[in-house]
Amino acid sequence: MNNWPKFLPHPASWAKGFALSSGFWLIVSVLLPGYYYYYYRFSAMYWRSISSSDFEGAIAFAWLCQIPLFAFYHWGLAKVAEWVESRSHKQPPTAAVSPWLHWREGIIAFATLPAAIVMGIPAIAFLMLPLRDSSSSIVALILGTAIASAYLYHFGFAKRLKILVKFLWIFYADLLKILELLLVPTITGTPFLKLTIATAPIIPQQLLPLTTFLLVVWVLLSGIVGYAALQYWSAHLVNWAATWWPTDSPGYSRIQARKAWKHNKTAATQSFVRHTTSWHLAANDTTYFIYFYLIAIVCGAIAFVLFGEPSKWSETQEEMLGSAVALVWVAQWHFGGWRREVEIASGEPSGKKRSRDRNLPPADPVAVELNQLAAELGDVRMRAVRKPASTTQKPKSQQAKWYVFRSGKAEGPYTKRQLRDVQQITDRTKVRRGEAEWQRAGEIPELAAFLTQK
């Protein structure tokens, strides 16, 4: 379809748009008697019970139904495509479609529908002008929403929405980290606070400053223990999830990478008390917990200068102060605390300070030993202990970095020659390089010379 008009949706987009619109509005028309089926006077008792139901509930139910409906549509189309492929090539399909791909279509439809209804309002209003009864208005609703849905599918609305959600998720993840840092000391320090309140009447007034200081110390120490316990058990949770997480599901490569971190590997063999990585992460959390309170004190002092005494602050001024504290802390954690946490958990130093010899080839132990013997005998001629990079590195075609999708799982890594000689890949075999997306081997020009002709 290279000659297809640029601003006209493809037939597939039109089919998805009409399926989404008709499925939603027909379900709504069944649940709400004021649209289409009400004029056929089915069951008076049925319509009486429906009319007393919640309008928002019916809309939400019809909206949620699009997820299983489109998952079922995609599953059926995938089965038809597999049947056609097996009949045309007279062999079973190379790989089955992942269940996640079916549900992904349902989630895309779920996210597209609200935008399609809003964008389709002009078309719906235009189509409703010649109509006089609600029995025909359902057609206008379906057509107007279908047109908007087709264009949203055509211009990749779901991909753009995904980019926006990823951007917002970074901010909300940092806000969740604030809640974690605040709630853990609150929960672990509550017993010490209650003990202090209970013993306050019997403590001399001269010892109250010392008691308050001890309370702060115990709350801080208990918070460190709480942070360490949370980090330790989160490593076990990630390791457990990595054992059953589907290969083609989103987040698979990320959760497998987390499992390979030093924090997760050592958690499986060390106890909580001896797990030093969890304690280092707890120290990092405690540091930024203290930073958070220092930022709050500084912002509070600025607000005192601008607004006066705290008792005179309005609700809007308090919200402005809280937002300022949260934004400053989020920026500090995102650009400093999170990087430090990843560095501790992964066990790898940051990339800012690297040795100059980091990218050099390893030294030859035989050449090093011969140089030592020559130096003892007084010979000043030394052998090269590092071979040139051209002799130590394998050609790109011999690097094992390719994976093959077989029997519902990834196999590899393989070199390009192994793909041809061992795996005997064809142009329809699904492969990937490293952690990239799965592709047909025939779609990758780099593998054209390594395909097995069948």
Side-chain angles (χ1 to χ4, degrees):
M1 293 187 179
N2 294 330
N3 296 326
W4 191 267
K6 185 176 181 180
F7 293 98
L8 183 65
H10 294 88
S13 299
W14 284 112
K16 291 180 180 180
F18 274 96
L20 178 61
S21 177
S22 59
F24 174 76
W25 288 115
L26 289 177
I27 294 175
V28 171
S29 65
V30 170
L31 296 178
L32 299 178
Y35 284 97
Y36 184 75
Y37 295 104
Y38 175 71
Y39 290 91
Y40 288 90
R41 307 288 184 183
F42 283 149
S43 173
M45 183 63 67
Y46 172 76
W47 292 121
R48 196 175 296 113
S49 62
I50 290 295
S51 61
S52 61
S53 63
D54 187 17
F55 176 79
E56 291 79 5
I59 296 295
F61 177 77
W63 186 23
L64 289 171
C65 284
Q66 304 312 307
I67 297 179
L69 277 177
F70 267 75
F72 175 74
Y73 297 156
H74 191 266
W75 174 82
L77 291 174
K79 291 298 181 182
V80 172
E82 290 177 0
W83 178 78
V84 172
E85 183 180 1
S86 61
R87 290 292 298 270
S88 59
H89 296 89
K90 296 182 179 180
Q91 64 178 6
T94 55
V97 180
S98 171
W100 159 246
L101 297 179
H102 306 318
W103 290 107
R104 186 182 66 176
E105 289 296 324
I107 295 173
I108 291 174
F110 179 81
T112 305
L113 182 60
I117 295 175
V118 174
M119 294 182 62
I121 289 177
I124 293 171
F126 177 78
L127 294 171
M128 278 190 176
L129 288 178
L131 303 178
R132 293 293 181 269
D133 55 2
S134 57
S135 60
S136 302
S137 64
I138 187 68
V139 178
L141 291 171
I142 292 175
L143 289 177
T145 308
I147 293 172
S149 302
Y151 275 94
L152 289 174
Y153 274 109
H154 179 67
F155 291 106
F157 171 76
K159 292 182 179 179
R160 289 165 174 78
L161 184 62
K162 181 181 179 181
I163 295 173
L164 178 62
V165 170
K166 281 186 175 181
F167 175 77
L168 294 177
W169 173 246
I170 295 174
F171 180 75
Y172 285 113
D174 292 336
L175 290 180
L176 290 175
K177 187 65 180 183
I178 292 180
L179 294 178
E180 174 195 331
L181 295 183
L182 293 177
L183 287 177
V184 170
T186 302
I187 295 173
T188 57
T190 298
F192 301 103
L193 179 61
K194 291 185 176 180
L195 180 63
T196 303
I197 295 174
T199 57
I202 60 176
I203 295 177
Q205 189 174 3
Q206 295 81 0
L207 297 178
L208 285 179
L210 177 61
T211 305
T212 305
F213 173 76
L214 292 176
L215 173 63
V216 173
V217 171
W218 281 111
V219 169
L220 189 62
L221 292 177
S222 64
I224 295 175
V225 176
Y227 292 144
L230 190 63
Q231 295 285 357
Y232 180 75
W233 291 110
S234 65
H236 283 282
L237 180 62
V238 170
N239 293 340
W240 170 75
T243 58
W244 58 266
W245 201 271
T247 305
D248 291 336
S249 298
Y252 174 79
S253 58
R254 180 175 297 181
I255 198 171
Q256 294 298 331
R258 287 286 300 271
K259 184 182 178 182
W261 283 3
K262 174 186 175 183
H263 176 57
N264 297 73
K265 287 182 177 180
T266 54
T269 57
Q270 296 179 0
S271 63
F272 167 65
V273 177
R274 296 180 178 273
H275 195 229
T276 56
T277 311
S278 293
W279 292 102
H280 290 165
L281 292 172
N284 184 61
D285 289 342
T286 306
T287 301
Y288 281 86
F289 173 73
I290 296 174
Y291 288 166
F292 177 79
Y293 274 97
L294 292 178
I295 293 171
I297 292 173
V298 172
C299 292
I302 296 174
F304 177 78
V305 174
L306 296 177
F307 307 135
E309 297 182 0
S311 58
K312 299 179 180 180
W313 292 352
S314 64
E315 185 177 352
T316 303
Q317 292 171 343
E318 292 178 354
E319 291 177 355
M320 291 173 56
L321 176 62
S323 301
V325 173
L327 288 175
V328 174
W329 189 91
V330 163
Q332 185 184 31
W333 172 260
H334 181 73
F335 294 105
W338 170 243
R339 293 183 179 180
R340 177 58 181 164
E341 183 171 300
V342 172
E343 179 182 339
I344 296 172
S346 61
E348 298 178 357
S350 60
K352 295 181 180 180
K353 298 180 180 179
R354 292 188 176 181
S355 174
R356 294 182 178 180
D357 298 334
R358 183 178 181 88
N359 297 324
L360 294 177
D364 186 359
V366 177
V368 173
E369 188 174 355
L370 290 176
N371 286 340
Q372 292 176 352
L373 293 174
E376 293 176 359
L377 296 175
D379 191 355
V380 295
R381 294 174 297 176
M382 296 294 171
R383 300 172 179 267
V385 297
R386 298 182 189 273
K387 297 181 180 180
S390 59
T391 60
T392 57
Q393 293 182 355
K394 293 183 179 180
K396 291 185 176 180
S397 61
Q398 297 182 11
Q399 292 180 1
K401 57 184 178 181
W402 294 90
Y403 294 85
V404 181
F405 190 81
R406 301 280 190 185
S407 303
K409 63 180 181 179
E411 296 182 2
Y414 300 106
T415 63
K416 293 179 183 179
R417 295 185 182 276
Q418 289 175 335
L419 292 180
R420 179 186 60 190
D421 301 336
V422 179
Q423 292 295 319
Q424 298 182 353
I425 62 171
T426 65
D427 58 345
R428 288 179 286 106
T429 306
K430 286 188 175 182
V431 298
R432 75 179 184 191
R433 178 166 52 188
E435 297 296 333
E437 298 291 336
W438 292 105
Q439 290 181 279
R440 300 279 186 184
E443 300 174 358
I444 305 176
E446 189 178 350
L447 297 180
F450 298 90
L451 299 179
T452 302
Q453 301 297 329
K454 287 189 177 181

